[in-house]
Amino acid sequence: MKSILKPLLMIVAMALGVTAAATLPARALVELNVNKGNVEPLPIAISDFQGGDALGAEISGIVSADLKRSGLFAPIDKSAFIEKISNPDATPRFEDWKVINAQALVTGSVSKEADGRVRAQYRLWDTFAGQQMSGEQFFANDANTRRVAHIIADAIYERLTGEKGYFDTRVVFIDESGAKNARKKRLAIMDQDGANIRYLSDGRSIVLTPRFSPNRQEITYMSYESGQPKVYLLQIETGQRELVGDFPGMTFAPRFSPDGQKVIMSLLRDDGNSNIFAMDLRSRSTTRLTNSTAIDTSPSYSPDGSKVVFTSDRGGRAQIYVMGADGSGQTRISFGDGVYSTPVWSPRGDLIAFTKQTAGEFQIGVMRVDGSGERILSTGFQQEGPTWAPNGRVLMFFRDSAGGPKLVSVDLTGRNEQSIPTANFASDPAWSPLLE
């Protein structure tokens, strides 16, 4: 896939006649304030893209599904449309769209170029202001038309919310199949909506905790192929794999630093203590960050790389702690009832997601980086392992139900919970950065 990324995002991202809209006062154009506590989904009409036979309808369908799944948009049923778009470059009859309360309208087209590439273009209209808000065109080969749809959805999301989208991303996870007492576990990767699943390992050995590099299409994960857990790096596109290090004892939950140059993990030594170590991937030198007689585990860097969040039971039961990236200033920030685990720093830097077990329930929640403002977003039986979308607005995790784990997403309001379709059981998701 790597070979097509540059041609695709060469995107001849030509603006399609947006100068008129750009001269209007900002308040004249529809917008969605995602920083309010409860956001009412914005009614939006997404017409089938013209041309390309069934491809146009497929692309508009993916755009519609992406926006709907975010919980911020309410695509209007096409059966309610009064105007049937036949020329996506023509100005729509705005009155027809205001009648059905479509505050925004998306039109577009798909065509085949002489060189075989697909050209897709869209226009976003503010129906009440009667203006075009944005418009771009994109080029891709046949294998990447889904990516074009995700990129268009991201562009619409950003124009209407003012924040980056998260649709042109992938998720790496553990695919689980077979009987519960003989479960086959394979590394797998898919688009964020569950499409295009591809397997990265053959299932002959147990693999766990895959994690994305923040700036490359590379993951770190654990494998038991030698009988002991070892940490590997895997280049997703080439399949090239290398051993990070052969550590004595057990290794847990490796994660990348924000610059991708380090891996942080917890190591269990013979004395039964689990402490946190960071390894420089260039020099392979290892630095010990905690030195306690407790179990310190699940480290995660802040997005600027200056701090690390982790869990420790040094106070009697597992709670969340924060320290400097050099191990200094170790401070407890959670004080709630129950047991905390798997803390993950938001890519926005403002929140820490976590799993909490209390009163026989598993909860997915968030708190501010000083531990204040704890909010529970989802409660269920045996759910854990949150991972952030790259814009810091949505979490994905896994929940064990009906015989095995499945992937679930939830936004920061806790009201928009979505099941992520996978062919088999699935656990341990990790969200990629936006593709390039």
Side-chain angles (χ1 to χ4, degrees):
M1 186 167 182
K2 197 170 187 177
S3 63
I4 61 88
L5 297 187
K6 291 298 183 184
L8 174 64
L9 293 181
M10 177 174 79
I11 292 179
V12 182
M14 293 167 47
L16 301 177
V18 296
T19 53
T23 62
L24 291 175
R27 67 178 181 275
L29 298 180
V30 63
E31 61 182 20
L32 196 57
N33 185 353
V34 296
N35 294 307
K36 294 192 302 182
N38 290 314
V39 179
E40 195 67 31
L42 180 79
I44 185 170
I46 303 169
S47 65
D48 285 345
F49 284 26
Q50 300 300 299
D53 299 322
L55 185 57
E58 179 186 356
I59 287 178
S60 63
I62 294 168
V63 171
S64 179
D66 280 347
L67 295 176
K68 181 178 181 179
R69 204 165 42 251
S70 75
L72 298 177
F73 301 90
I76 296 171
D77 192 306
K78 290 184 175 67
S79 65
F81 293 0
I82 299 171
E83 181 184 13
K84 305 304 179 185
I85 300 295
S86 58
N87 180 4
D89 296 324
T91 301
R93 297 197 306 264
F94 293 115
E95 289 302 321
D96 288 353
W97 299 100
K98 286 192 281 187
V99 166
I100 62 172
N101 195 35
Q103 296 184 33
L105 166 67
V106 178
T107 62
S109 64
V110 181
S111 61
K112 277 277 193 177
E113 299 294 288
D115 61 5
R117 292 182 303 164
V118 172
R119 179 170 73 97
Q121 70 176 48
Y122 82 95
R123 296 178 189 269
L124 174 64
W125 307 86
D126 182 332
T127 59
F128 285 83
Q131 295 286 343
Q132 181 179 325
M133 300 180 69
S134 64
E136 294 175 281
Q137 62 180 0
F138 306 88
F139 293 87
N141 58 33
D142 286 333
N144 287 278
T145 52
R146 287 190 64 87
R147 274 207 63 197
V148 169
H150 292 318
I151 291 169
I152 290 173
D154 278 333
I156 294 168
Y157 182 102
E158 183 172 4
R159 182 63 184 84
L160 291 173
T161 69
E163 297 192 347
K164 289 286 187 184
Y166 59 93
F167 307 119
D168 187 30
T169 57
R170 298 189 287 184
V171 174
V172 66
F173 64 100
I174 302 299
D175 176 272
E176 301 188 20
S177 59
K180 191 170 185 178
N181 59 353
R183 196 65 52 85
K184 182 179 182 180
K185 296 191 175 186
R186 292 181 288 177
L187 276 178
I189 191 168
M190 64 182 180
D191 296 351
Q192 53 78 27
D193 59 357
N196 292 332
I197 290 181
R198 179 160 60 98
Y199 296 101
L200 305 176
S201 70
D202 57 18
R204 286 184 291 182
S205 56
I206 294 175
V207 288
L208 298 170
T209 61
R211 300 290 181 259
F212 257 103
S213 168
N215 49 25
R216 290 189 298 273
Q217 291 301 302
E218 177 182 51
I219 62 171
T220 177
Y221 69 97
M222 288 166 40
S223 173
Y224 279 78
E225 62 192 70
S226 65
Q228 290 292 321
K230 294 185 179 182
V231 179
Y232 290 88
L233 295 178
L234 175 67
Q235 299 288 340
I236 292 173
E237 307 307 337
T238 66
Q240 181 180 347
R241 191 181 75 148
E242 62 178 303
L243 182 66
V244 171
D246 192 0
F247 306 104
M250 300 283 282
T251 311
F252 300 98
R255 287 186 185 273
F256 285 95
S257 61
D259 61 6
Q261 300 300 317
K262 294 180 181 178
V263 169
I264 192 168
M265 68 199 94
S266 57
L267 302 179
L268 178 65
R269 296 299 172 85
D270 292 338
D271 58 9
N273 299 330
S274 174
N275 281 281
I276 295 172
F277 294 76
M279 170 178 273
D280 187 298
L281 292 174
R282 292 163 297 186
S283 66
R284 298 302 167 107
S285 61
T286 301
T287 303
R288 184 170 184 159
L289 302 181
T290 66
N291 187 10
S292 74
T293 57
I295 297 175
D296 297 341
T297 189
S298 300
S300 171
Y301 281 102
S302 62
D304 65 1
S306 66
K307 295 181 179 179
V308 172
V309 63
F310 65 102
T311 59
S312 176
D313 65 355
R314 63 185 67 180
R317 66 171 184 263
Q319 295 282 335
I320 299 177
Y321 291 73
V322 169
M323 64 181 171
D326 60 357
S328 62
Q330 297 176 22
T331 305
R332 178 176 168 177
I333 65 167
S334 70
F335 294 90
D337 294 333
V339 174
Y340 292 79
S341 60
T342 64
V344 190
W345 219 300
S346 165
R348 298 166 63 93
D350 57 341
L351 296 170
I352 292 169
F354 58 85
T355 302
K356 182 179 180 181
Q357 186 178 2
T358 180
E361 292 183 321
F362 286 77
Q363 301 172 330
I364 302 296
V366 294
M367 63 176 65
R368 299 190 188 99
V369 298
D370 62 0
S372 64
E374 179 177 319
R375 289 187 294 119
I376 301 303
L377 304 180
S378 178
T379 298
F381 173 74
Q382 212 162 340
Q383 56 183 27
E384 58 183 307
T387 180
W388 289 96
N391 70 349
R393 287 290 179 187
V394 180
L395 288 163
M396 190 178 294
F397 57 96
F398 66 100
R399 174 184 293 152
D400 202 333
S401 59
K406 299 294 286 185
L407 302 185
V408 179
S409 68
V410 65
D411 68 2
L412 288 181
T413 69
R415 295 187 297 117
N416 182 37
E417 190 171 287
Q418 303 278 337
S419 296
I420 309 300
T422 54
N424 302 310
F425 294 128
S427 62
D428 249 341
W431 220 313
S432 80
L434 280 170
L435 300 177
E436 296 181 356

